[in-house]
Structures are given as C-alpha cells and as structure tokens.
Amino acid sequence: MAQCVQSVQELIPDSFVPCVAALCSDEAERLTRLNHLSFAELLKPFSRLTSEVHMRDPNNQLHVIKNLKIAVSNIVTQPPQPGAIRKLLNDVVSGSQPAEGLVANVITAGDYDLNISATTPWFESYRETFLQSMPASDHEFLNHYLACMLVASSSEAEPVEQFSKLSQEQHRIQHNSDYSYPKWFIPNTLKYYVLLHDVSAGNEQRAESIYEEMKQKYGTQGCYLLKINSRLY
C-alpha cells in the first residue's frame, strides 16, 4: 500500500488549526505587495509557534500544546464557489503526478507484475487543498475566525485613526446582516493591532512614537510593531 508522508497524528493538528483573520489598510497591503506577498502570505513561514501554549477547557483544566499552528488569512466576505474549488483541486492533482523513474512497489498477481507507486503526492496535495478550501458552515466551528489582526502602516498620515476605522469595519462585517460570511467563533472577536513599518523607507522614530500611542489606547498585550524590509538588492 502507498505510504503518506504525514501520519494521522501529524495530519490532524496541521489541518485543523485556529483561524485568525487579517484586515489591512490599503497602505499596509500596498507595502506588503512590494515584496510580492499579501500580509497573510508574509506571516505564513511563522505560523507555527515555537513556544508552548497553555489553554484551559470549559472545565478549567489546563492543557499544554506544543508546536501549535495558526492559519492567518485575509478576510473574504464571499464563500468559495464550488466551480472554483473543483478547478483548484483538478489543477492540484494535475500538477502533483509522480515523476518518471521513481521507485515503485511491485506486486505480483498471477502472470502480472503490478507497479504501485510508493507514495501518493497527488492525494496528499488534493487532501491539503480540499481541507484549506472548505467553506465555513453554521453547524461546526472549523474555519471560524477566533481573532482578527488589524494592520496599518507607519507611513499613513494617521495610523491610530486608521486602526479605529479598521476596527469598525471588522465589527460591521461580523455583525451586519448583509454579511453571512465569513464565520466568527465568538461575538466579541479578539483584536490585535499591528503597525507595519518598512525600515528601508519609513521613519524609525515616528514608528516608535506611533507604537507607544497605540499601546496607550489599546493596551500593551494587543499591540505589535512589525518591521519589514522591502528594499530590492
């Protein structure tokens, strides 16, 4: 039988992970695009935590989680369309066929020798894409956002005011009846305020000053200064 790269013990914590939304200002999104990435793509290499996470269940029992993975994605207010998902899955399978010359398992059945691939890369790619593209539904909490990261750039005229606008926008998307998508885990979604600063072009002193103003308004636990370098060498 073909072997999968991941065991079941590895697959489940990698596939069913806490989801965090990202809502960026236009300037913050423009800044990340200088590196040909969205903000969510910028964070993807750092989505697995290196420190232990301590969580309590409804019975107040403490659980220690190691190597927790978090999925960050930009907010999309329309559910994935079935046709687009089918095309994506077809493209993934087509691009994941085993290469020529790979070692195969040989199974003899009567007068026939059957060459069976030792791995199934197409299935693993299909499975990963299928799980990632599943739309959130009402009857369970998979792919429901636990928190939202509000992202503004230090190069904006009034970044702190921009955070207020982003917070209002997130509240409108979550609680306005015009939006049935995305899905949220709790009514009062946790918010984190991220100031994006380009060290190759921005004013370092101004960024630090804005960051201090953010902490005074929103608290130190929910504010972060993220420095990037978009300079091309």
Side-chain angles (χ1 to χ4, degrees):
M1 181 179 292
Q3 301 296 314
C4 292
V5 174
Q6 280 187 317
S7 67
V8 174
Q9 290 80 3
E10 295 170 325
L11 171 66
I12 292 176
D14 266 10
S15 302
F16 303 101
V17 300
C19 297
V20 176
L23 184 60
C24 303
S25 68
D26 292 340
E27 178 62 18
E29 195 63 48
R30 184 197 68 80
L31 196 60
T32 61
R33 288 297 178 187
L34 294 176
N35 294 297
H36 307 288
L37 298 168
S38 68
F39 179 75
E41 291 169 338
L42 189 71
L43 297 185
K44 191 171 182 179
F46 312 99
S47 60
R48 189 178 297 280
L49 306 186
T50 56
S51 58
E52 291 183 349
V53 175
H54 297 81
M55 304 178 68
R56 292 187 180 275
D57 62 23
N59 295 322
N60 204 33
Q61 294 295 315
L62 182 66
H63 300 272
V64 177
I65 302 175
K66 298 180 179 179
N67 300 319
L68 178 67
K69 183 179 178 181
I70 296 175
V72 179
S73 60
N74 290 355
I75 290 181
V76 176
T77 56
Q78 295 294 328
Q81 298 302 310
I85 294 177
R86 283 194 298 270
K87 182 180 185 306
L88 178 62
L89 294 174
N90 287 335
D91 292 344
V92 165
V93 172
S94 299
S96 302
Q97 296 302 315
E100 296 270 341
L102 288 181
V103 177
N105 296 330
V106 178
I107 299 177
T108 301
D111 296 332
Y112 299 95
D113 290 333
L114 304 178
N115 294 326
I116 307 298
S117 177
T119 60
T120 54
W122 66 267
F123 172 72
E124 292 166 3
S125 298
Y126 175 95
R127 181 180 60 191
E128 179 182 359
T129 304
F130 175 79
L131 292 174
Q132 290 178 351
S133 60
M134 281 195 312
S137 58
D138 292 326
H139 66 278
E140 40 80 74
F141 287 103
L142 297 176
N143 298 331
H144 286 225
Y145 286 130
L146 290 171
C148 183
M149 302 172 68
L150 307 176
V151 188
S153 169
S154 62
S155 60
E156 302 189 51
E158 297 291 341
V160 177
E161 181 179 333
Q162 186 64 52
F163 281 121
S164 297
K165 293 179 180 179
L166 291 172
S167 181
Q168 293 170 10
E169 176 69 6
Q170 186 280 326
H171 186 275
R172 185 175 68 86
I173 292 173
Q174 181 174 357
H175 296 286
N176 193 312
S177 58
D178 292 339
Y179 294 93
S180 60
Y181 200 87
K183 304 294 183 181
W184 305 85
F185 194 79
I186 53 176
N188 297 320
T189 298
L190 300 172
K191 294 186 178 70
Y192 296 93
Y193 302 84
V194 180
L195 181 65
L196 198 62
H197 177 63
D198 187 353
V199 298
S200 68
N203 185 311
E204 190 86 13
Q205 186 174 359
R206 181 173 186 268
E208 293 289 348
S209 176
I210 296 169
Y211 182 45
E212 291 300 321
E213 186 179 351
M214 289 167 53
K215 290 191 289 185
Q216 291 179 10
K217 182 172 183 179
Y218 299 112
T220 58
Q221 296 297 320
C223 295
Y224 301 88
L225 174 59
L226 178 59
K227 298 180 181 180
I228 63 173
N229 188 347
S230 61
R231 179 179 295 170
L232 299 176
Y233 294 95

